[in-house]
Amino acid sequence: MDYWKSGKFPYIGLVGDFDWQERFGITDSLEGFRDHYRVNVEFPWAKDIADKARNLTVSQPVFPNLAESFLVTSGVQESLKHAFEVFQDEREQLFRSAQENLDYALRHIVPPIDFGRLLLPPNLRDYSDEVSPAEVLDFVEGEAIPMYLVPRGRTAIRLIHAETRSERRAILGDRYTTIIDDCADVLEACEHKIIRSEVEFAVEALEAMRAGYNRTAQGMLTVLLDSIVGSFYPGKEKRTITNRKKEHDPPELLLEMSIRESLVWLPIWNAHEAFWPYKGDPVPHYYSRHASVHAVSRKQFNKRNCVQALMLVTSLLGYANHLACSLD
């Protein structure tokens, strides 16, 4: 899937408008170029023309024919030709000097911009040398594990580099406690009033997990996820998010999203993989919203699936908080 077709990049505008000459400290260099041009090109050229003009003896003859006219004016032509040759040489030298100064500025003055780092979510920006934005997008396209805000960078790197779903689930179990802590930090930072109620329920589920009631928490988090998704997409579009058919590519709604939005919504879409008990679909061992609601069982309700549901809710609430704060 080509995530770049939409041309939407959430970090465009991060730097903002500014005066490039001043920002990169090359104003002085450009002034130097202009001084060099005036001293070494304009002044010598003008002086050369003036000297040659003084040496010319041109009266006001009556030209009997074009041949005589050409002979009289040939001296002026030669002077102008020589002057323009000097000007061309000086111009080429100036441009070479300007290019050398600009190359130096780009190498030594302008700070390098790591665009890959800017495109990564905040929890992964310190790991731009270990993972690329394309790898993160590829991961969330196929998993119901979010990468936006949670989990912490080192855990996220382990999950992305794991080769199988079994390995990823093992990591979820191994990092169960630290992932809860990561989610607690993000939820604590969600201060906007518009999501206050949802954050309270998420924190209550999180505390239930810490107390050992992960099944209770998974039920709460699954219902809460439904509620928040419905707040974002109250109409027919909700079915686009909550109706993930097996072996189908993401819908156009998701393809048109920015990178940040994709990191939030693709895992939620994957968590809504089709599950039809009456068709004989087996209960999956990995987290499934539909199985959690329609097939309550020990196979579906477990610590790994619970912490996965917590991550989905936390990532979505963190995104909602950021969006609401930016619109204030």
Side-chain angles (χ1 to χ4, degrees), residues 61 91 149 194 222 230:
R91 184 187 63 176
L149 299 181
I194 198 171
T222 299

Side-chain angles (χ1 to χ4, degrees), residues 1-3 133-147 160 165 168 244-245 247-251 254-255 262-271 273:
M1 181 178 66
D2 187 354
Y3 285 92
E135 288 178 294
V136 181
L137 283 171
D138 185 62
F139 176 84
V140 296
E141 181 186 352
E143 270 289 0
I145 300 175
M147 284 288 128
I160 293 171
R165 173 170 280 170
R168 289 188 283 274
R244 191 234 193 273
K245 297 180 180 179
E247 309 304 327
H248 278 218
D249 290 333
L254 293 174
L255 293 177
S262 296
L263 295 180
V264 173
W265 289 103
L266 276 171
I268 294 173
W269 178 71
N270 282 318
E273 182 180 276

Side-chain angles (χ1 to χ4, degrees), residues 9 25 60 65 117 121 140 153 156 199 221 268 286:
F9 299 93
Q60 298 180 359
N65 54 52
R117 184 178 188 278
V140 296
V199 171
L221 291 166
I268 294 173
Y286 50 86

Side-chain angles (χ1 to χ4, degrees), residues 114 138 163 188 256 258:
D114 187 348
D138 185 62
E163 296 183 358
E188 185 178 357
E256 292 177 351
S258 67

Side-chain angles (χ1 to χ4, degrees), residues 12-303:
I12 288 178
L14 183 67
V15 178
D17 296 327
F18 49 77
D19 187 327
W20 284 90
Q21 294 182 16
E22 293 183 1
R23 179 176 177 83
F24 293 149
I26 61 174
T27 303
D28 293 340
S29 298
L30 293 176
E31 288 293 341
F33 297 159
R34 285 191 283 267
D35 291 342
H36 178 84
Y37 178 80
R38 285 193 292 269
V39 172
N40 296 291
V41 180
E42 287 183 356
F43 296 162
W45 181 75
K47 184 176 183 299
D48 186 67
I49 291 292
D51 290 342
K52 285 183 169 53
R54 280 194 296 269
N55 293 329
L56 291 175
T57 303
V58 181
S59 59
Q60 298 180 359
V62 178
F63 304 124
N65 54 52
L66 290 177
E68 290 186 17
S69 175
F70 177 78
L71 291 174
V72 172
T73 58
S74 61
V76 177
Q77 291 177 338
E78 288 299 324
S79 298
L80 290 174
K81 180 180 178 182
H82 175 71
F84 280 115
E85 288 176 351
V86 172
F87 171 76
Q88 185 175 2
D89 291 341
E90 289 291 341
R91 184 187 63 176
E92 292 176 356
Q93 182 179 348
L94 173 64
F95 287 163
R96 284 196 299 270
S97 177
Q99 184 63 53
E100 290 172 0
N101 279 275
L102 184 59
D103 289 344
Y104 178 85
L106 292 175
R107 289 195 305 269
H108 302 285
I109 299 176
V110 180
I113 300 175
D114 187 348
F115 288 102
R117 184 178 188 278
L118 292 179
L119 292 173
L120 289 172
N123 49 317
L124 278 170
R125 287 190 191 146
D126 290 339
Y127 299 86
S128 58
D129 58 335
E130 298 184 45
V131 67
S132 68
E135 288 178 294
V136 181
L137 283 171
D138 185 62
F139 176 84
V140 296
E141 181 186 352
E143 270 289 0
I145 300 175
M147 284 288 128
Y148 179 71
L149 299 181
V150 292
R152 67 186 63 182
R154 181 48 58 194
T155 302
I157 292 295
R158 287 183 59 191
L159 287 166
I160 293 171
H161 289 168
E163 296 183 358
T164 65
R165 173 170 280 170
S166 296
E167 290 180 8
R168 289 188 283 274
R169 288 181 55 75
I171 294 170
L172 293 178
D174 180 55
R175 307 304 296 173
Y176 180 80
T177 301
T178 61
I179 292 175
I180 292 176
D181 293 339
D182 297 339
C183 292
D185 291 341
V186 172
L187 291 172
E188 185 178 357
C190 293
E191 299 179 342
H192 200 281
K193 61 183 179 181
I194 198 171
I195 56 170
R196 186 172 299 157
S197 178
E198 288 81 359
V199 171
E200 289 177 359
F201 279 102
V203 170
E204 188 171 326
L206 184 149
E207 293 301 331
M209 293 172 68
R210 283 177 167 168
Y213 299 104
N214 59 278
R215 293 179 182 175
T216 302
Q218 183 172 332
M220 168 69 78
L221 291 166
T222 299
V223 173
L224 183 57
L225 181 64
D226 260 14
S227 178
I228 304 171
V229 171
S231 296
F232 273 94
Y233 297 103
K236 294 181 179 179
E237 284 184 327
K238 181 181 178 182
R239 285 188 54 81
T240 305
I241 300 293
T242 61
N243 186 24
R244 191 234 193 273
K245 297 180 180 179
K246 294 182 179 180
E247 309 304 327
H248 278 218
D249 290 333
E252 196 67 26
L253 174 66
L254 293 174
L255 293 177
E256 292 177 351
M257 289 181 174
S258 67
I259 294 178
R260 176 187 293 171
E261 292 171 324
S262 296
L263 295 180
V264 173
W265 289 103
L266 276 171
I268 294 173
W269 178 71
N270 282 318
H272 288 81
E273 182 180 276
F275 171 73
W276 302 101
Y278 73 90
K279 292 182 179 180
D281 289 348
V283 177
H285 61 278
Y286 50 86
Y287 179 69
S288 164
R289 177 271 175 198
H290 298 318
S292 291
V293 172
H294 301 297
V296 176
S297 65
R298 293 182 178 181
K299 189 174 183 180
Q300 177 58 208
F301 280 76
N302 55 65
K303 291 176 65 174

